Amino acid sequence: MESVNIDNSQLTALIRLVEDPDPNVYGHVRTKLIELGREVVPTLENTLEIRKSQLAFDLDHEDRIRKIISDIHFNHVKLDLEQWRASSTRDLLKGAIIVSKFQFPEVDEKKVEKELDQIKQKVWLEISEENTAFEIVKIFNHVIFDLCGFESSKNNFYAAENSYINKVISSKKGNPLSLSILYSVIAQRLHIPIYGVNLPNHFVLGFVDEFQTLKMLGMNDDRNILFYINPFSKGRIFDHNEIENYLRSLNLPLQKNYFEPCSNTDILKRMLTNLTFAYNKEGDTEKVEGIRELQLILES
């Protein structure tokens, strides 16, 4: 989205026309302001504050300005997600932050990065090359859940805020997916092969068998996961058989994709599905429609 040059006097004139009663005029002004992009948001927000301080504000005018600001932010979220989808890496944390900007457009990306780096540093100080995979996970669990205090949001499980990585970091509460994202992002930054596993009605992690030790032991059934981790239960470790039992309890087939790492795109799709459910539960149809637009970007 390219920015369009406009001087302050022209911008001020445009903003004045936001309250024009002619819907055609307002429509053109709205389109122009959205086209101008993020650069005009501070001026729009300043207009709101000035008019309020002067007690000269019209609620319809305020609603129009807030809607324009919201539309500008949403357009950039869509653009960012399109660029993420087109990228070669599809970085998981970057994708999660983009989704967070749907609800929190002013997300401080550097702050999120810094928080995760601090957790990563704590883990790094505890592990050594001699640690086994099980020992590494126990260290992760101790740092993330005991030292840093992250926990499952069981009392408010379906809340939308449990899906937004910035809120999960600040509240230290999350759902199975968001806690798994936090856990796996830190692991991958330490070059530890822990990736998301997209189970029906649940989300867990798998510790990938990079050196194919299971095949060395004669287990030639194409397994490439040493064991699984459930961040929603403070990193509880479990095995392949438990997933089989879980799927059977749901009368579902033992499909290979239920046992293997999923893509970062699948993780973001799952996140958007969770948000659709959350906003439907709240009765917020406008946000449900917005999330659907983001889903279409990832499906294209």
Side-chain angles (χ1 to χ4, degrees), residues 55-72:
L55 301 177
F57 215 82
D58 176 86
L59 288 178
D60 288 337
H61 189 201
E62 179 180 359
D63 287 343
R64 284 183 170 186
I65 289 181
R66 291 194 185 282
K67 183 65 170 65
I68 290 169
I69 293 171
S70 176
D71 288 343
I72 289 171

Side-chain angles (χ1 to χ4, degrees), residues 175-293:
N175 59 28
L177 182 63
S178 59
L179 290 175
S180 292
I181 289 172
L182 181 140
Y183 199 116
S184 62
V185 165
I186 293 169
Q188 290 165 37
R189 290 187 173 196
L190 288 167
H191 306 292
I192 295 168
I194 295 175
Y195 298 92
V197 177
N198 202 4
L199 287 175
N201 303 327
H202 199 34
F203 197 92
V204 295
L205 299 171
F207 200 116
V208 174
D209 183 14
E210 286 190 311
F211 302 106
Q212 298 188 324
T213 51
L214 295 178
K215 287 188 178 180
M216 289 168 56
L217 295 172
M219 301 174 69
N220 296 315
D221 57 357
D222 294 327
R223 296 185 195 179
N224 69 344
I225 299 289
L226 287 171
F227 54 82
Y228 298 91
I229 308 156
N230 185 358
F232 199 66
S233 296
K234 292 193 171 184
R236 185 177 73 85
I237 295 171
F238 59 101
D239 63 16
H240 185 277
N241 293 328
E242 194 163 328
I243 291 185
E244 286 189 1
N245 293 335
Y246 174 72
L247 293 172
R248 289 192 179 103
S249 73
L250 297 175
N251 295 315
L252 291 172
L254 306 182
Q255 295 176 190
K256 186 176 180 181
N257 61 295
Y258 292 147
F259 298 88
E260 300 292 322
C262 63
S263 70
N264 290 345
T265 304
D266 286 335
I267 292 175
L268 253 63
K269 286 180 178 179
R270 181 76 176 251
M271 183 185 292
L272 294 175
T273 297
N274 290 348
L275 285 169
T276 298
F277 184 87
Y279 288 128
N280 266 321
K281 195 173 176 65
E282 295 175 11
D284 195 331
T285 55
E286 186 175 344
K287 282 197 167 59
V288 170
E289 290 170 3
I291 292 295
R292 182 56 186 156
E293 287 191 49

Side-chain angles (χ1 to χ4, degrees), residues 15-190:
I15 293 174
R16 284 177 183 153
L17 287 173
V18 167
E19 58 188 335
D20 194 293
D22 186 331
N24 290 324
V25 172
Y26 167 66
H28 285 297
V29 171
R30 176 179 172 277
T31 299
K32 182 65 176 178
L33 287 170
I34 292 173
E35 179 186 347
L36 290 169
R38 288 181 181 140
E39 290 75 12
V40 304
V41 169
T43 305
L44 288 167
E45 291 175 336
N46 190 48
T47 299
L48 289 175
E49 294 303 316
I50 291 173
R51 297 294 293 274
K52 278 184 177 180
S53 67
Q54 294 173 345
L55 301 177
F57 215 82
D58 176 86
L59 288 178
D60 288 337
H61 189 201
E62 179 180 359
D63 287 343
R64 284 183 170 186
I65 289 181
R66 291 194 185 282
K67 183 65 170 65
I68 290 169
I69 293 171
S70 176
D71 288 343
I72 289 171
H73 285 310
F74 184 51
N75 276 0
H76 280 276
V77 169
K78 290 191 290 185
L79 177 64
D80 289 345
L81 193 59
E82 287 169 358
Q83 292 175 339
W84 183 88
R85 181 179 58 81
S87 69
S88 59
T89 57
R90 296 192 182 185
D91 181 82
L92 180 55
L93 180 58
K94 178 66 177 176
I97 290 172
I98 290 169
V99 174
S100 288
K101 288 183 177 181
F102 173 77
Q103 178 67 40
F104 305 99
E106 304 302 329
V107 169
D108 188 337
E109 295 184 43
K110 290 183 179 179
K111 183 178 179 182
V112 172
E113 290 272 2
K114 182 179 178 182
E115 294 278 359
L116 290 180
D117 279 341
Q118 288 174 345
I119 301 170
K120 182 191 78 171
Q121 182 71 7
K122 290 176 182 177
V123 175
W124 179 79
L125 289 171
E126 297 285 336
I127 61 176
S128 70
E129 293 182 358
E130 287 74 33
N131 289 133
T132 65
F134 281 98
E135 289 169 340
I136 288 171
V137 169
K138 289 184 181 298
I139 290 169
F140 262 81
N141 293 344
H142 174 63
V143 171
I144 292 174
F145 303 113
D146 297 333
L147 296 184
C148 296
F150 284 91
E151 60 182 337
S152 53
S153 182
K154 293 179 179 176
N155 294 331
N156 200 19
F157 183 85
Y158 296 108
E161 64 186 25
N162 289 327
S163 289
Y164 294 121
I165 191 68
N166 60 311
K167 291 297 291 183
V168 172
I169 289 173
S170 63
S171 69
K172 297 190 183 297
K173 294 180 185 293
N175 59 28
L177 182 63
S178 59
L179 290 175
S180 292
I181 289 172
L182 181 140
Y183 199 116
S184 62
V185 165
I186 293 169
Q188 290 165 37
R189 290 187 173 196
L190 288 167

